Amino acid sequence: MLRIFGGERVKNLMFRLGMTEGVPIESRMISSRIENAQKAVEAQNFEARKHLLEYDDVMNKQRETIYNLRRSFLEGRDQKEFVIERADAIADELVETYCPREQHPDQWNTTQFSNEVLNQFGFDPKAAGMDFASLNHETVSAELIDKLHARYEEKETLFGAQTLRWLERHILLDVVDGQWKDHLLTLDHLKEGIGLRGYGQKDPLVEFKKEAFILFDELMNRIDTEAVRFLFLVRPAEPPQNAPPPAQSAAPANPSAPPIPRGLSQFSPEEIERKQRRQQQQMQFQAGAAPVEPPKPTRAAAKVGRNDPCPCGSGKKYKKCHGEAA
């Protein structure tokens, strides 16, 4: 502490006074310098904690917004209205971008507009009957929104209302969790380098608040876009065409054994037979009968010892006669 905050003057003074390690400091001037150094260290640590708390306060406000959004999904509320509102907002934004009000319909970028609608909502507006030559800015937006509502109603009829409500909940939760984790990582990287803004005569905390707000706005837009796109593009799984018929399981070797349970067809016949035997023994034990044990294998003939007479009648020991060949 004295080397960092005391300076060369205090260091030279201590050497002149003959101060060495292990000797208590009794000089009032040295004690005063140590006290001032402790105050400087505590002030520096306080400022560091204060800045850290101010940065965390910015992240905490964003965290509260995301957690409130997640809580509404977890509580199982009907999210259909939420999805439709976000879809309408995205549709209006696409119309404003590619079919602006201040341009003539002949100048609209209808090709890119159709591609964006196809990627976001899963249908081509031109193929759906939208004639851009006979529409203006307001009618394009109104007709696109009507087609989106009709398409979502068709999807609800296809899946069923209860299944679609379940999909809305889980897809929204997955999108929010994934995007929030990426956002936290981005904020950590921003916090690491934001202190360099001070060299440009800018307050790092103010710059962090500005950058964090922009990133959070982009986060909410990504959540809306990804969730709506997944929900409009999701469809039921279809069985593969020209699929071979399922193979019929072979009849059990033991007629009295219980039928093969579902899920055992991937085992070998020996494993299936062992499982059936254990099930049969368990059933007999529950019924009060003694479990039937499988017969133990028996030897075809008694084993001949190595020092026993050879069975061939030669009079030699087995190990000196036919035992050598074995």
Side-chain angles (χ1 to χ4, degrees), residues 196-268:
L196 299 177
R197 305 287 179 93
Y199 292 104
Q201 304 300 319
K202 295 180 180 180
D203 188 357
L205 180 60
V206 175
E207 294 297 314
F208 179 78
K209 290 181 178 180
K210 292 180 181 179
E211 296 286 344
F213 177 78
I214 295 174
L215 292 174
F216 186 73
D217 188 53
E218 295 176 353
L219 165 69
M220 300 303 293
N221 291 334
R222 288 198 306 271
I223 289 175
D224 296 344
T225 303
E226 291 298 314
V228 170
R229 184 171 66 88
F230 284 146
L231 286 169
F232 270 85
L233 297 182
V234 68
R235 59 182 181 179
E238 299 178 357
Q241 297 180 356
N242 302 326
Q248 298 181 355
S249 58
N254 187 1
S256 61
I260 299 175
R262 294 180 60 185
L264 295 182
S265 57
Q266 69 270 24
F267 297 102
S268 63

